[in-house]
Amino acid sequence: LPVSMELRTEHRQLAVAMAIVMDRSGSMSAGVSGGMTKMDLANEGAARSIELLGPQDSVSVLAVDSEPQIVVPMTRLDSGVDDIASTVRRITSGGGGIYVYNGLQAGWRELQKSDAGQRHLILFADAADAEQPDAFRTLIAEMTAQSTTISVIGLGSESDQDADFLKEIAALGGGRIFFNSDAATLPALFEQETVAVARSAFLENPVGVKGTAGWLELAAQQIDWPAEIDGYNLSYLRPEATAAAVSKDEYGAPLVAFWQRGIGRAAAVSFPLGGPFSARVRAWPGYGDFVQTLSRWLFGTELPPGLGLRTRVDGSQLEIDLLFDSTWQERFAQEAPTLVVADGVSGEARTVVWERLEPGRYRASIPLVPGQWIRGAVQAGGSAFAFGPVVAGANPEWALRPESRRELEAASRQSGGVERVDLSTIWDASRIEEFRDLRVWLLVAFLACFVMDAIATRLGWQMPVVALPRFSRPIRRSVVTNANPDLTAEPPAGVPAEAGLPHSGEPDEPAGETRIERFRRAKRGGK
């Protein structure tokens, strides 16, 4: 595009000053799943909101029960964001209910300390315990008169006793209202609200329009621009681009910009041509002339009558079709059309040969290198018209294949999901618990083991010893032979047979004694 959309720090009108008024009443100390309290989750949401803001933004955080306590005074976030978020995460609950009027009044005082062009207050309150309306309508009227908006995050449901009170605050404050009985999703609601407020670059105030000489590069004569438009997206003109109209405010921002990119053309219109904030534009007498002139310029040079050119990328192949009627048959018979292409690296031009498919139709196929663009031109008779740049594999996001979308939709249906194309509805999706707190179960198990150990000690009970089965080892018998005849000979007559054997020093074993009996006797000391 010929414009860029970054948010520059020197443009203070789009800086956000945000006051977050937190309910710290007694109901916020109630526990929820995960071992956290409602206050902990609300603190986490407020901290994430602060982390989403930019360095040019400012924030103040107040904790309110019967009286407001300024936890973070109005502070610009160009430094110390982590410290501020850490402070907010340590807010504790008090007692009683939330005094809404006191909270709104204290938050408004903090917002008045900032000169930011956009001031917003987020009120977090229990929908069943929001007290002290007082003169809240008068206070909100004062705030909105000075371009301050109010959104409400109500913990509970629309049927709670104070829900209508919170709804009226959001309606009078020109903001949004959220009800959620599941405290676990509070951080996401805070994030959603912050994104909606702080990331908008649209200026809603009416602004004058000033035409420039750049329009004469598109049209033969100047156009009568509207005196004012209802709003526009703040953007900045890129180098080498041309502005045809700019805003009359302090930004002098481009409202209509254009430039030539290679052989292509691009334009940007920064104000709405339809829908909200387009009433003045649609009532502009030159509306049709403006749209038609800009569109014709973007279309480029018109083709001669009777000719048509179509390009299509199929994978890594560029197919170019030249279509013509009978009035061009004889002319092409005398002089065939010429196709010239050039790549985006060397810029060298080369001629491509046409293939005649049928009467009235030529085709040329050109292989593309992924990520490298080419452009070309066709010369037919005395006319020349260009096409491209064309690229293969540059950005699959823009490969709009209907079958791919159908595959995604089928996968979503079969898995029980839904299609979400609106960013604001993503936070409405149900969330899956990704952790389980085992501390309670571990404590119960520990106490049970402790009681059992105490009972066993008291009763002198011991763990039974489990006897393992015995396995007898096989006895290996060996036969020893000796070639010495003196040892193997028979003992002399009258000498006992065992007299010639070496004595082990052990007492004589009783005859017929088994191995087990010998083992027991050995344990008794041989007795």
Side-chain angles (χ1 to χ4, degrees):
L1 290 177
V3 297
S4 60
M5 300 286 291
E6 75 270 15
L7 183 58
R8 297 181 180 175
T9 55
E10 65 268 20
H11 286 168
R12 300 303 303 153
Q13 183 172 345
L14 288 184
V16 175
M18 182 177 291
I20 305 177
V21 179
M22 307 280 292
D23 182 351
R24 61 174 300 179
S25 60
S27 60
M28 292 297 110
S29 61
V32 294
S33 61
M36 304 180 74
T37 65
K38 296 178 180 179
M39 193 77 250
D40 293 333
L41 292 169
N43 293 344
E44 180 64 24
R48 292 187 189 180
S49 293
I50 294 170
E51 292 168 347
L52 282 172
L53 296 173
Q56 74 278 5
D57 300 323
S58 302
V59 70
S60 175
V61 180
L62 303 94
V64 183
D65 42 28
S66 58
E67 292 296 333
Q69 175 190 354
I70 300 177
V71 179
V72 178
M74 185 58 66
T75 305
R76 182 171 168 174
L77 298 176
D78 48 3
S79 63
V81 176
D82 294 338
D83 293 338
I84 295 174
S86 178
T87 300
V88 171
R89 287 186 171 99
R90 294 195 298 269
I91 298 175
T92 58
S93 60
I98 176 175
Y99 280 30
V100 173
Y101 181 83
N102 287 348
L104 292 176
Q105 189 178 50
W108 174 226
R109 291 197 196 101
E110 289 297 309
L111 287 173
Q112 288 177 305
K113 297 177 183 178
S114 172
D115 58 354
Q118 188 174 8
R119 293 187 286 197
H120 186 69
L121 187 145
I122 299 177
L123 171 64
F124 167 67
D126 191 336
D129 198 19
E131 305 178 34
Q132 195 207 18
D134 284 9
F136 76 98
R137 295 184 182 88
T138 303
L139 176 62
I140 293 177
E142 178 186 346
M143 296 171 67
T144 55
Q146 300 187 45
S147 303
T148 301
T149 54
I150 304 171
S151 291
V152 180
I153 299 176
L155 182 59
S157 65
E158 295 187 48
S159 59
D160 289 338
Q161 61 181 8
D162 297 319
D164 292 338
F165 171 40
L166 298 180
K167 284 182 183 179
E168 187 175 2
I169 292 176
L172 295 175
R176 289 156 290 276
I177 178 73
F178 305 92
F179 287 104
N180 201 322
S181 56
D182 183 5
T185 60
L186 281 175
L189 290 179
F190 276 91
E191 289 177 318
Q192 178 181 355
E193 176 62 18
T194 304
V195 169
V197 172
R199 289 294 173 257
S200 173
F202 187 77
L203 303 184
E204 300 181 0
N205 297 327
V207 65
V209 180
K210 177 184 178 182
T212 71
W215 179 255
L216 296 177
E217 297 182 27
L218 307 181
Q221 61 183 11
Q222 192 57 265
I223 193 172
D224 292 330
W225 295 97
E228 283 187 334
I229 55 176
D230 297 293
Y232 71 97
N233 281 292
L234 179 61
S235 60
Y236 310 93
L237 192 68
R238 293 187 185 274
E240 301 180 7
T242 302
V246 297
S247 63
K248 285 185 176 180
D249 56 11
E250 65 270 27
Y251 302 132
L255 299 178
V256 179
F258 61 92
W259 63 358
Q260 191 99 13
R261 302 301 293 166
I263 61 170
R265 295 172 176 180
V269 180
S270 299
F271 53 86
L273 297 176
F277 300 98
S278 67
R280 287 179 170 85
V281 171
R282 288 184 285 110
W284 171 32
Y287 177 86
D289 188 16
F290 164 72
V291 173
Q292 191 175 42
T293 302
L294 185 61
S295 301
R296 282 181 174 174
W297 180 82
L298 288 170
F299 288 153
T301 306
E302 294 184 1
L303 293 174
L307 283 182
L309 184 68
R310 183 175 63 192
T311 62
R312 184 172 69 93
V313 177
D314 186 5
S316 61
Q317 199 76 9
L318 171 62
E319 294 183 353
I320 305 170
D321 288 337
L322 179 63
L323 310 174
F324 53 93
D325 61 16
S326 57
T327 60
W328 288 87
Q329 294 278 5
E330 185 177 350
R331 300 176 66 177
F332 283 165
Q334 298 175 359
E335 183 181 2
T338 305
L339 171 61
V340 179
V341 298
D343 61 63
V345 178
S346 63
E348 262 183 56
R350 67 181 189 277
T351 302
V352 180
V353 179
W354 289 105
E355 177 187 3
R356 183 168 181 173
L357 296 182
E358 57 187 357
R361 185 178 183 184
Y362 285 134
R363 169 174 287 183
S365 296
I366 304 172
L368 299 174
V369 178
Q372 178 177 315
W373 58 269
I374 69 169
R375 57 184 179 177
V378 176
Q379 183 175 4
S383 303
F385 39 93
F387 64 87
V390 181
V391 67
N395 193 343
E397 179 183 358
W398 302 110
L400 301 178
R401 298 171 57 243
E403 58 271 21
S404 297
R405 174 165 182 156
R406 288 194 292 269
E407 290 172 2
L408 292 174
E409 291 174 343
S412 177
R413 288 193 302 269
Q414 293 173 11
S415 62
V418 295
E419 179 185 16
R420 296 186 181 275
V421 295
D422 183 2
L423 177 64
S424 64
T425 66
I426 292 178
W427 282 273
D428 298 336
S430 59
R431 285 164 176 78
I432 301 174
E433 292 283 349
E434 295 184 357
F435 65 91
R436 293 291 185 273
D437 190 0
L438 300 179
R439 289 178 293 182
V440 175
W441 295 106
L442 291 175
L443 179 60
V444 171
F446 172 77
L447 292 175
C449 293
F450 178 79
V451 171
M452 290 178 62
D453 181 69
I455 294 174
T457 303
R458 184 74 174 176
L459 300 178
W461 179 80
Q462 294 183 352
M463 179 73 70
V465 178
V466 180
L468 298 177
R470 296 182 178 181
F471 300 95
S472 60
R473 298 177 59 186
I475 300 175
R476 295 183 179 180
R477 301 182 181 276
S478 300
V479 178
V480 180
T481 60
N482 198 317
N484 190 343
D486 295 335
L487 296 179
T488 59
E490 292 290 334
V495 178
E498 59 273 13
L501 297 176
H503 199 276
S504 61
E506 296 291 337
D508 294 339
E509 298 177 356
E513 189 177 42
T514 63
R515 292 181 60 199
I516 297 177
E517 291 172 342
R518 290 198 300 272
F519 175 76
R520 292 175 178 171
R521 183 168 57 82
K523 290 182 66 177
R524 293 195 301 268
K527 297 179 182 180

